[in-house]
Amino acid sequence: MRRGLAAMAVTVAVWAGFALSIRGIGASSLTTMDTALIRFVTPLLLLGPWIPRTLRRLRGERPVVLAGLCAGAGLPFFLVASAGGRLTSAGLVGLVIPGTVPIFVALLAYRMWGSRVGRAQVAALAAILAGVALAGGRPAGAGTVVLILAGSIWAVYTMSLRVTVLDPVGTVIVLCLPSALLSALLIGTGAAGSNLAAGTARMDDVLIYLAAQGVGAGVLAALCYPVAIRRLGSRTAASLGALSPVVTAVAAVPLLGEPLTGIPGFALVVAGVVAFNLLPARPEGTAPHAADPPPHHDRPAVAADRGLRR
């Protein structure tokens, strides 16, 4: 229990750090592609010994699942989330992206497996939508729309995690490898600007993003969240994860000088996410819940206890 709570605390802190650092790119000496390179190269360096094993296991994975992993949490997601961060605030980055994921997961689960949610879960999803609208403003600004798009992309990653044959370390390597190569290619060819390549990036900024994005979001969250799920259960872990937007918004006040606004919207989103995850997964008389495993599928979900075996 204690290990699960500790793993979840690290995960929430890392998620908040991701949102804060995404918002802070514009104020740093790094370009977006610089931060992407740091984000995806660092895990490969730290998990290098497990790369050969992961590459061997790719023969048992379906191309569509690999594409979902790479796009859903790789460079495409990172660029969209970064664009939303430039147009909004750290609080909204931490709220809208994870907050809208349950909505898109429910839609994808219905489309792919025919999974449905009960009336209570629909009400919870409606609360999330209302909270995003309140926090993002009416009508929703362009930045909020971009963050919602990022949430939909992350939902693809979430669904891919449910059916992949790879363990947590393998998924990190798979999503980082093509993103790191593409980031390096764009910088090397001059297609994307880079202060790292120009030698004008400040070392303190490099270290901050190395910690927040490379080690934190790239490795710690990917390893700690499965541990939290195994120790606490998926619903409890997902509900505790709803604290991340609150931590982000509060931390953004002293760190980035952002005002603490949109509290009713934050409250609705957090309440909606918690309710969606804690309400019964399979209400009497309804079809399977969107959070349930896909029916008649022989591929295992992510195994939290196999993360560091070679």
Side-chain angles (χ1 to χ4, degrees):
M1 182 71 172
R2 290 183 179 179
R3 290 184 180 179
L5 290 174
M8 198 63 231
V10 172
T11 302
V12 168
V14 168
W15 286 348
F18 173 84
L20 292 166
S21 60
I22 283 290
R23 174 57 177 165
I25 292 175
S28 73
S29 61
L30 299 170
T31 67
T32 299
M33 199 56 65
D34 286 334
T35 58
L37 187 66
I38 293 172
R39 161 69 180 85
F40 298 114
V41 168
T42 305
L44 294 176
L45 295 176
L46 295 176
L47 302 176
W50 289 274
I51 292 179
R53 182 207 63 174
T54 299
L55 295 179
R56 289 193 298 269
R57 296 199 67 185
L58 291 184
R59 289 174 292 185
E61 187 57 276
R62 292 172 295 170
V64 66
V65 176
L66 292 176
L69 293 173
C70 294
L75 187 61
F77 166 77
F78 187 88
L79 294 179
V80 174
S82 299
R86 288 196 301 270
L87 297 172
T88 56
S89 64
L92 280 178
V93 172
L95 178 76
V96 176
I97 295 179
T100 55
V101 167
I103 298 173
F104 291 111
V105 166
L107 292 174
L108 288 172
Y110 175 76
R111 178 67 179 85
M112 295 169 62
W113 303 311
S115 300
R116 298 182 181 181
V117 296
R119 293 181 180 178
Q121 286 81 20
V122 171
L125 296 178
I128 294 173
L129 280 176
V132 169
L134 283 175
R138 294 182 178 178
T144 303
V145 174
V146 173
L147 292 178
I148 292 174
L149 176 60
S152 69
I153 298 173
W154 186 264
V156 173
Y157 172 70
T158 301
M159 298 297 285
S160 299
L161 279 179
R162 291 172 57 183
V163 296
T164 183
V165 300
L166 300 171
D167 58 24
V169 170
T171 59
V172 171
I173 292 172
V174 163
L175 73 89
C176 286
L177 188 56
S179 295
L181 293 175
L182 183 56
S183 299
L185 179 63
L186 292 174
I187 290 175
T189 59
S194 171
N195 292 336
L196 279 174
T200 58
R202 297 194 304 270
M203 183 54 63
D204 57 339
D205 287 335
V206 173
L207 293 176
I208 288 174
Y209 280 87
L210 185 68
Q213 291 285 345
V215 177
V219 178
L220 286 180
L223 298 182
C224 287
Y225 192 49
V227 172
I229 290 175
R230 183 161 61 93
R231 296 281 181 172
L232 303 175
S234 60
R235 294 179 177 276
T236 300
S239 300
L240 290 174
L243 295 174
S244 175
V246 179
V247 175
T248 302
V250 172
V253 176
L255 295 178
L256 300 177
E258 294 182 358
L260 192 61
T261 59
I263 295 178
F266 274 74
L268 270 176
V269 172
V270 172
V273 171
V274 171
F276 181 79
N277 285 292
L278 290 185
L279 286 168
R282 195 171 301 200
E284 185 177 353
T286 66
H289 189 280
D292 287 341
H296 308 298
H297 207 294
D298 58 358
R299 290 178 180 267
V302 175
D305 59 344
R306 298 182 304 170
L308 291 178
R309 293 184 186 174
R310 297 189 188 180

